[in-house]
Amino acid sequence: MTTTMMMDRMTMPGTMTNQSMASGMPTMPQMMPNMVMVPRCSMKIVKCEGGIKIMAMCDDPTACTMMQNLCTMMAGGMCSLCCMMNGMMVCCCNLTMGACKLEMMNNGCCLTCTSGDDNCCAMIQSCGDCLMTCMESGCCCCMMIGGTPVCCCMC
């Protein structure tokens, strides 16, 4: 019964509400929020020679397959990681200063971002430190390739 009541109160985009029908003036359709479902994983960021390795691992085989498929489809796009807390972005690292390479693992994927330039390497590793600090402090980290989220992590 509660489902019926909720449906009665909900207006669909492009339809006129009671208020707009009473006044005779059409109103703008309501915007629907952009939502996407991405697999939840555990993420580990470690420094390596020339940059960082980001390992995203899933316990659930279905989530792992979905993440690997998303990574394969989006391969070649710009890699970025976003940390969010309470729905607000805390940190966003665009890994444009290095060469990113995706490799599939048994339980997830490994993103390696490296650079031959010492300054770029320092920036990449600093981004890794920042991301790990954010995740250890309770942020949710979302890994994106080409602007499309492929997985998210809560430490």
Side-chain angles (χ1 to χ4, degrees):
M1 189 66 173
T2 54
T3 310
T4 307
M5 290 176 67
M6 286 174 58
M7 290 299 289
D8 287 342
R9 295 181 187 152
M10 197 169 91
T11 58
M12 298 301 290
T15 60
M16 295 175 72
T17 61
N18 289 341
Q19 184 180 14
S20 63
M21 285 189 274
S23 67
M25 296 181 62
T27 59
M28 294 293 292
Q30 294 178 349
M31 296 294 289
M32 295 297 281
N34 291 329
M35 290 188 199
V36 65
M37 288 191 58
V38 293
R40 181 169 284 186
C41 67
S42 59
M43 204 175 285
K44 185 176 167 184
I45 302 173
V46 293
K47 291 181 183 179
C48 65
E49 188 177 334
I52 58 173
K53 281 184 182 266
I54 303 165
M55 288 158 279
M57 299 154 290
C58 296
D59 294 332
D60 180 38
T62 306
C64 181
T65 303
M66 181 180 175
M67 178 177 58
Q68 289 176 337
N69 288 339
L70 283 167
C71 287
T72 302
M73 285 187 295
M74 303 309 296
M78 183 183 75
C79 299
S80 58
L81 291 104
C82 244
C83 287
M84 313 257 311
M85 182 177 269
N86 297 327
M88 298 293 292
M89 186 186 321
V90 174
C91 168
C92 184
C93 292
N94 295 314
L95 301 174
T96 57
M97 65 291 266
C100 295
K101 184 175 81 170
L102 269 168
E103 298 171 279
M104 298 305 147
M105 303 184 314
N106 289 339
N107 62 342
C109 67
C110 178
L111 174 70
T112 307
C113 186
T114 56
S115 175
D117 181 62
D118 290 338
N119 291 330
C120 288
C121 172
M123 284 192 289
I124 294 167
Q125 290 181 344
S126 294
C127 283
D129 290 339
C130 178
L131 293 166
M132 277 308 294
T133 302
C134 287
M135 287 190 287
E136 288 167 357
S137 300
C139 288
C140 172
C141 185
C142 179
M143 183 165 77
M144 295 177 284
I145 302 174
T148 301
V150 294
C151 66
C152 73
C153 163
M154 293 274 299
C155 287

